[in-house]
Amino acid sequence: MTGQLHGKVALVAGATRGAGRGIAVELGAAGATVYGTGRSTRAQRSDYDRPETIEDTAELVTRAGGQGIAVRVDHTDPEQVRELVQRIEAEQGRLDILVNDLGGEHLMHWHKPIWEQDLAKGLQRLRIGIEAHLITSHFALALLSERPGGLVVELTDGTAEVHEQYYRSEGGAFFDIVKVAAHRLARAQGEELKPFGGTAVSLTPGWLRSEMMLEHFGVTEQNWRESTTAPPGFAIAESPHFVGRAVVALAADPEVARWNTDSLSSGYLAKVYDFTDTDGSQPDAWRYVLEVEWPGNPGNPNDYR
């Protein structure tokens, strides 16, 4: 995919770590100029209180072959987002790709009903996972829609098919609502961009080997299969680069409009576009979840890679 996006300008909202960072780096590897935003900088950590920074992401993008530009932005603040988009317009004169990857994963409450969850954290999750997406699109799509071929990607967790069949009880009501909303956000934006030649989709990675997940299971990207605490399903996990390659494949596809308003997964798109994860495999985590893990059927996650 090297060079396929040369001359294209992307905004990855929430590029500090995890899927956002993987997407930003892969867009850079394809030659794009990438504005990566977040609230964690080398000067100050956000409430995530983790070491990853937007400056690190920008350097990785540039090292991969693109141009990485780090901008500290709180996407729940409309004025900060307005200034960001004005800067992109002044510096680049265009915006071709918007990736909304703002989720608030540090606000997760595991396996608790709504009345036992921290209300303030739950409402903040809605602000980050829904309101901030709308604020960002409000300002960014005015610029993106000026040229045909623009692409919006709403990152989520789970496909529309998964959410139709299952309530995401592991994260509770606030988590479930945010992840389902991404599909409707993509639908709304896709309908409104269509007359301007634009496309919007919702996209989910599978079980992501994010920095936080690797740390939780006491492994690194180099030895992740050696975890002694991860459940068997962790064998289907994918690197953040996998979903990044899915975004690149969509952005480089001259017929990307065929996917407009669709719910997609990294594993599914890997088969369509014939890309792989960093280890050469094509993990299809959500097919494994639907066919094996959640129904309780026999099956080996390694057979779905």
Side-chain angles (χ1 to χ4, degrees), residues 14 45 87 102-103 119 125 130 145 147 151 155 163 169 174 185 224 231 237 244 252 285 290 293 297 303:
R45 290 189 181 189
R87 174 179 171 179
L102 305 159
L119 181 60
R125 178 130 210 183
I130 300 177
S145 63
R147 296 170 181 265
L151 173 66
L155 258 288
H163 291 144
S169 60
F174 296 107
L185 287 171
W224 67 273
L290 285 172
E293 186 171 14
N297 295 325
D303 293 335

Side-chain angles (χ1 to χ4, degrees), residues 254-290:
E255 298 180 356
V256 67
R258 61 182 159 145
W259 303 113
N260 194 31
T261 75
D262 280 355
S263 163
L264 305 168
S265 71
S266 51
Y268 174 72
L269 289 177
K271 304 295 193 299
V272 175
Y273 289 106
D274 196 28
F275 61 84
T276 65
D277 203 347
T278 53
D279 63 358
S281 69
Q282 292 181 316
D284 196 346
W286 289 107
R287 188 165 67 89
Y288 170 74
V289 164
L290 285 172

